[in-house]
Amino acid sequence: MNTRRPCSPKHSSLSAPLPKFVFALLALLAVEALALLLPLSLPADTNYYQHVFFDNSLNTDSYFYSSGHVSPPSSLKLENGRLPVEASIFFTPPNALHVEWLSSPNGGWETTIRVVDFRNRQPTFLGDTLLLWLYSPQAISAADLPMLRLSDDLEDFSAPLPLGKFAAGIPANKWVQVKIPLNQFVTASIHPLDAHRLKSITLNQSSSDAKPHTLLLDEIKIDFASDLDSSPKPAALLAPQNVNAKGFERHIDISWDRVSSKSLERYVIYRSFDGKNFKPIGIQEPGITRYADFLGKPGQKAFYKVAASSRSYLESPLSTEASAATRELTDDELLAMVQEACFRYYWDGAHPDAGMALENIPGDDRIVATGASGFGIMALVTGVDRGFITRQQGLQRLTKIVTFLEKAPRYHGVWSHFMNGSTAQTIPLFGMYDDGGDLVETAFLMEGLLAARQYFHGSTGAEQKLYARITPLWEAVEWDWYRREPDMDALFWHWSANWAAHINHRLTGWNEVMIVYLLAIASPTHPVPADLYYSGWAGQSDAAVKYRSGWGGTTDGDHYANGQTYFGIKLDVGVGSGGPLFFTHYSFLGFDPHALTDRYTNYFENNRNIARINLAYATENPKHHKGYGPNAWGLTASDGPKGYVPQAPDLRDDVGDITPTGALASFPYTPEASMAALKHYYRDLGDRVWGVYGPRDAFNPDADWYSPIYMGLNQAPITVMIENYRSGLIWKLFMSNPEIKPMLDRIGAAREGHP
């Protein structure tokens, strides 16, 4: 779920957070409902993950989504309890799974491979046949192949099937595809097995021949046998065009034009160091036309070609050659590099119809996220100013976004949290009550639109038209409606035409939603009184105090002001030791925290102290997590190996996940420590952490886990906050809106006790 809010749970009729199991249930129900609510025609990547169960491992030593168990005297080779990864022999590059066993009488072994479970992954596989590619360095007879079982997402499982029933043995040194009709899997559970909702595949001991065997597995998928049998010939796929290679310090970025073909399943990237001998080094899913080849050091020249590959693995001719070399980069060049890479998420990776930001990549390609799109708009402005795209390209993209927003449903001027990028339909991803306006996500979106309005404020007719179209979007937001009653002391998060105020969630600081109050006070058409800042955001009511202590688990900061010292650093405002670092980012991508000093603190100084506390905590590392240190810090919210966790620098909320945006989006507050983190993530961990859109969303060295996704909420803050550190561009743009200074004046008057 896109719940980046430990202090602000999405579903509550009270002011205290709901138990975690309720969120898990709501998430499950939402995923179940999503397939029924939305159209069946899916973009390329969603379709890819509705077939592919395994293609490659991000980890180079063992496969995270696997496990194994041995009962002696049998044996099974495992690395840290998981299947080893084979990097020298594969069917699709760069690796395969390595199963090495010995089956003895009175012994046993089993290994289970689980589906990669990322947020918003479609839960249903499409097809009628399970397909596996198998390889062995020595021939294995059909009788000596393992047994095979399937389990679905409700933990129902099949009776064992002899793998040898569908493979007449595996010859030595040759890849063989095994095809097993799904109707061959019969339930052995008390409920029917749904193989289309495949969760795991288990191999286990069959014949006890007491001989060692090695079997490599690659490209495990479910598909329609009839479609594969009728796949087009290789000539039906054209070679990718306009292949380009650009060298950075430790990696080379390869890009190409999209191949338009219904039979396209993947791209295959080939590399050569001499311009002659090209070898496959990786694949890319069909919706992404970019590949990051991490070479590990400067001074490396490489040559690249790309092929398109069909569902039946028939490849197009290779593209023309492109080459580049790695080289030493200055600190400024490193900053531009990471800014551009993260910017690409919102440029290359945006929804093709809406221009809006996808919730996550890979994910469900229909879902565009309102708040992440606001952040993405500020990243696009940065991209124009840095020359990543032209001003005309940026203007065209912003015009597409505004056109989409003009037709999207609004709830008293407020957009929903998620929308279908093709239809603009509201997506109630968090359950049936989440079918209306989301004031917080709308505020994040408006933060970006107002910054863009000031940037594209030139003399051309196109820019003047865009400016004129953004203004009514801003003026239509009925901030005062979300106050509910004229005498209510706070704003509320949601409103639905079907459910009204059923999600009774009061907006109470300190957290990431300050921008809501600032924009609500600034509104030229539907403002709220400035004193709502102190009664709602910084409120001292029983409801506000209970709210803060409820999510924070402490009385430190439960009255908004804190005053405690952590690691020798005094914190003026914040619950506990400050909370997740995104509190210091989201409201301040556009709004300059230097500009606001209220009764309690100056917000640049307070944000900087929160970042310093976060750094000090990770440096001390009281829970002794692997990887933490002065160059690996920034506890904030992200998915992890155990799901979504809003990490904070305290013993309760620290689970060992390292989220690069935490440190990298803190550049304005901690430039030296943020630069140390950037260099560490890129130079030392880049072979695992760096990808097509910059650093992956998170990683956990304790678990040897690396996120399979990038997040719309996490990539843009890196680009934008680095720009605010380098030039102050987005801060200057947002603050130049004519409504902002009067708003600050009104809050200043309220600070002094005037109306």
Side-chain angles (χ1 to χ4, degrees), residues 29 63 127 194 200 204 214 218 250 292 322 328 349 367 371 402 481 496 501 564 586 610 638 640 674 746:
L29 292 173
Y63 186 50
D194 187 352
S200 65
N204 69 284
T214 297
D218 205 354
R250 306 294 171 96
E328 294 279 359
I367 304 173
V402 166
W481 177 266
S496 160
Q564 302 297 316
Y586 291 1
I610 289 175
S638 66
S674 294
R746 288 194 288 272

Side-chain angles (χ1 to χ4, degrees), residues 246 253 290 339-350 388-389 692-693 719:
K246 182 178 180 180
D253 190 71
R290 188 172 297 276
Q339 283 184 285
E340 182 175 6
C342 295
F343 151 84
R344 294 285 178 190
Y345 183 101
Y346 308 90
W347 183 248
D348 298 348
F388 305 152
I389 55 174
V692 291
Y693 300 127
T719 294

Side-chain angles (χ1 to χ4, degrees), residues 90-415:
F90 42 75
F91 185 75
T92 56
N95 53 49
L97 300 179
H98 182 110
V99 185
E100 184 176 335
W101 76 89
L102 186 149
S103 298
S104 296
N106 303 315
W109 63 267
E110 64 84 12
T111 181
T112 296
I113 306 164
R114 304 187 307 280
V115 69
V116 181
D117 185 20
F118 49 79
R119 63 170 60 207
N120 299 322
R121 179 167 187 169
Q122 287 281 317
T124 304
F125 284 90
L126 302 179
D128 54 23
T129 305
L130 177 69
L131 303 108
L132 311 89
W133 285 93
L134 306 178
Y135 175 99
S136 178
Q138 296 180 330
I140 306 177
S141 70
D144 292 333
L145 287 170
M147 306 297 285
L148 180 67
R149 289 174 169 84
L150 304 185
S151 294
D152 64 23
D153 60 355
L154 294 178
E155 305 296 341
D156 295 308
F157 51 89
S158 71
L161 272 181
L163 190 55
K165 178 181 177 180
F166 305 93
I170 304 300
N173 302 316
K174 182 180 179 181
W175 283 101
V176 174
Q177 189 178 41
V178 177
K179 302 178 181 180
I180 308 175
L182 293 184
N183 60 18
Q184 294 292 303
F185 293 97
V186 179
T187 188
S189 183
I190 62 172
H191 300 295
L193 170 77
D194 187 352
H196 293 99
R197 300 180 68 89
L198 181 62
K199 182 178 181 180
S200 65
I201 296 173
T202 297
L203 303 175
N204 69 284
Q205 178 169 318
S206 57
S207 65
S208 303
D209 62 352
K211 296 179 181 179
H213 297 287
T214 297
L215 188 66
L216 304 185
L217 282 75
D218 205 354
E219 279 293 308
I220 304 172
K221 62 185 296 188
I222 288 177
D223 215 328
F224 295 98
S226 59
D227 290 352
L228 296 173
D229 293 339
S230 61
S231 292
K233 295 179 180 179
L237 278 175
L238 299 177
Q241 300 297 305
N242 296 319
V243 177
N244 181 65
K246 182 178 180 180
F248 295 92
E249 186 177 277
R250 306 294 171 96
H251 82 285
I252 294 177
D253 190 71
I254 305 100
S255 61
W256 56 91
D257 290 347
R258 190 181 306 273
V259 172
S260 180
S261 172
K262 291 183 178 180
S263 63
L264 177 68
E265 179 81 352
R266 68 192 66 77
Y267 298 100
V268 185
I269 295 86
Y270 289 80
R271 180 182 67 201
S272 169
F273 286 113
D274 61 8
K276 300 176 182 178
N277 300 305
F278 284 85
K279 296 181 179 180
I281 60 167
I283 62 173
Q284 187 58 275
E285 58 203 62
I288 299 176
T289 55
R290 188 172 297 276
Y291 187 83
D293 184 22
F294 196 85
L295 299 177
K297 59 182 179 180
Q300 299 289 296
K301 184 175 183 179
F303 304 81
Y304 298 92
K305 296 182 179 182
V306 183
S309 175
S310 75
R311 292 170 68 181
S312 54
Y313 305 97
L314 300 175
E315 289 190 14
S316 73
L318 290 176
S319 70
T320 57
E321 175 188 299
S323 65
T326 55
R327 61 181 179 84
E328 294 279 359
L329 297 185
T330 66
D331 285 0
D332 260 7
E333 289 173 322
L334 284 172
L335 291 176
M337 175 195 73
V338 71
Q339 283 184 285
E340 182 175 6
C342 295
F343 151 84
R344 294 285 178 190
Y345 183 101
Y346 308 90
W347 183 248
D348 298 348
H351 191 282
D353 299 326
M356 299 269 282
L358 298 176
E359 159 73 340
N360 51 279
I361 301 175
D364 186 318
D365 298 335
R366 299 167 293 187
I367 304 173
V368 296
T370 300
S373 294
F375 299 166
I377 288 169
M378 290 180 273
L380 288 169
V381 170
T382 301
V384 172
D385 210 65
R386 285 285 165 188
F388 305 152
I389 55 174
T390 67
R391 190 176 184 93
Q392 183 62 26
Q393 287 176 310
L395 180 62
Q396 291 173 348
R397 177 60 58 84
L398 262 295
T399 300
K400 174 183 281 192
I401 291 171
V402 166
T403 300
F404 175 83
L405 292 172
E406 287 173 338
K407 71 178 182 180
R410 300 179 76 175
Y411 306 89
H412 288 276
V414 172
W415 290 280

Side-chain angles (χ1 to χ4, degrees), residues 30-90:
V31 169
E32 297 287 345
L34 196 56
L36 300 175
L37 288 168
L38 300 179
L40 294 177
S41 59
L42 307 178
D45 292 340
T46 293
N47 184 68
Y48 180 82
Y49 287 104
Q50 285 192 305
H51 293 287
V52 174
F53 182 87
F54 168 82
D55 53 12
N56 286 295
S57 171
L58 284 175
N59 304 59
T60 56
D61 50 358
S62 63
Y63 186 50
F64 177 81
Y65 302 96
S66 69
S67 59
H69 182 267
V70 181
S71 298
S74 296
S75 65
L76 174 70
K77 185 176 181 179
L78 298 171
E79 296 284 345
N80 300 316
R82 301 170 185 156
L83 281 179
V85 172
E86 172 60 54
S88 58
I89 303 171
F90 42 75

Side-chain angles (χ1 to χ4, degrees), residues 493-672:
W493 201 311
H494 303 85
W495 183 84
S496 160
N498 293 318
W499 307 103
H502 182 88
I503 304 178
N504 182 32
H505 196 93
R506 186 182 191 275
L507 296 181
T508 304
W510 166 257
N511 48 45
E512 81 279 26
V513 305
M514 177 188 275
I515 192 66
V516 177
Y517 280 90
L518 300 181
L519 291 176
I521 296 167
S523 171
T525 51
H526 298 279
V528 300
D531 58 10
L532 216 63
Y533 177 93
Y534 287 105
S535 65
W537 168 253
Q540 306 295 306
S541 67
D542 289 344
V545 172
K546 182 180 179 181
Y547 180 90
R548 298 185 187 102
S549 61
W551 73 260
T554 178
T555 58
D556 290 359
D558 64 352
H559 284 70
Y560 191 73
N562 186 310
Q564 302 297 316
T565 298
Y566 306 90
F567 303 99
I569 303 163
K570 185 174 180 289
L571 183 61
D572 292 338
V573 165
V575 177
S577 53
L581 267 178
F582 71 89
F583 288 4
T584 70
H585 302 152
Y586 291 1
S587 283
F588 305 103
L589 296 182
F591 181 79
D592 184 353
H594 292 91
L596 179 57
T597 299
D598 63 12
R599 296 173 185 171
Y600 304 100
T601 193
N602 170 268
Y603 284 92
F604 180 83
E605 296 299 328
N606 198 71
N607 288 352
R608 181 165 61 182
N609 284 343
I610 289 175
R612 291 174 60 212
I613 290 167
N614 205 297
L615 168 63
Y617 177 91
T619 302
E620 184 172 293
N621 192 11
K623 296 183 76 171
H624 307 291
H625 290 301
K626 291 181 181 178
Y628 280 23
N631 61 358
W633 60 281
L635 280 73
T636 190
S638 66
D639 290 338
K642 296 182 179 180
Y644 169 81
V645 179
Q647 283 201 127
D650 58 67
L651 297 178
R652 187 188 70 163
D653 299 308
D654 168 22
V655 299
D657 298 340
I658 299 174
T659 308
T661 193
L664 301 186
S666 296
F667 255 97
Y669 311 127
T670 53
E672 292 182 0

